[in-house]
Amino acid sequence: MLIVKRLAVFVGVIILLYSVYYDLNKGTLTLLHEESAETAATTEAPVTPAVREVPYVETKVSTGDTVLSLVKEAFDGPLPVSVDQVIRDFEELNGIGASEIQAGKTYKFPKYPS
């Protein structure tokens, strides 16, 4: 009985190792990727994502200002959007990272309804 259990475990380990080897070398996900690429290639008109218009105000940055501090100045209470959204909107409007702002330059800052 012990030999049968050891043989079953050995066969199970061999099957597991082979399936991992097959998945890493040939993979099953590449088949899905190829099918989706073929489907995308046969699509007649490309679908473009909708571009969201972000209202903004242009402000000159002073020493010590941050994107968040300048956007918060427009509100008495909490921001109506998350901090991550403010950063994404600023980067979308200006094409630079929020940490790359420089004093003395004018940037577009997102303007949110109160």
Side-chain angles (χ1 to χ4, degrees):
M1 191 68 170
L2 182 62
I3 294 175
V4 174
K5 285 183 183 180
R6 287 186 179 180
L7 183 61
V9 169
F10 179 74
V11 170
V13 168
I14 295 297
I15 291 172
L16 177 68
L17 290 175
Y18 178 74
S19 63
V20 169
Y21 168 79
Y22 180 82
D23 195 37
L24 290 175
N25 285 325
K26 302 205 189 308
T28 54
L29 296 178
T30 57
L31 298 175
L32 295 175
H33 177 68
E34 291 171 1
E35 289 175 5
S36 65
E38 290 173 6
T39 305
T42 59
T43 306
E44 293 176 13
V47 177
T48 57
V51 177
R52 185 173 67 92
E53 293 290 324
V54 178
Y56 65 89
V57 60
E58 291 189 10
T59 305
K60 188 173 184 178
V61 176
S62 301
T63 303
D65 286 339
T66 64
V67 172
L68 194 55
S69 68
L70 291 171
V71 172
K72 279 186 176 181
E73 281 181 11
F75 295 96
D76 292 332
L79 289 174
V81 296
S82 69
V83 173
D84 292 332
Q85 185 65 48
V86 171
I87 300 300
R88 281 193 301 267
D89 290 343
F90 174 82
E91 291 174 349
E92 180 182 320
L93 287 168
N94 295 287
I96 65 166
S99 62
E100 299 173 18
I101 63 172
Q102 298 176 358
K105 292 192 176 183
T106 302
Y107 296 99
K108 298 174 185 175
F109 289 89
K111 182 179 176 183
Y112 302 105
S114 298

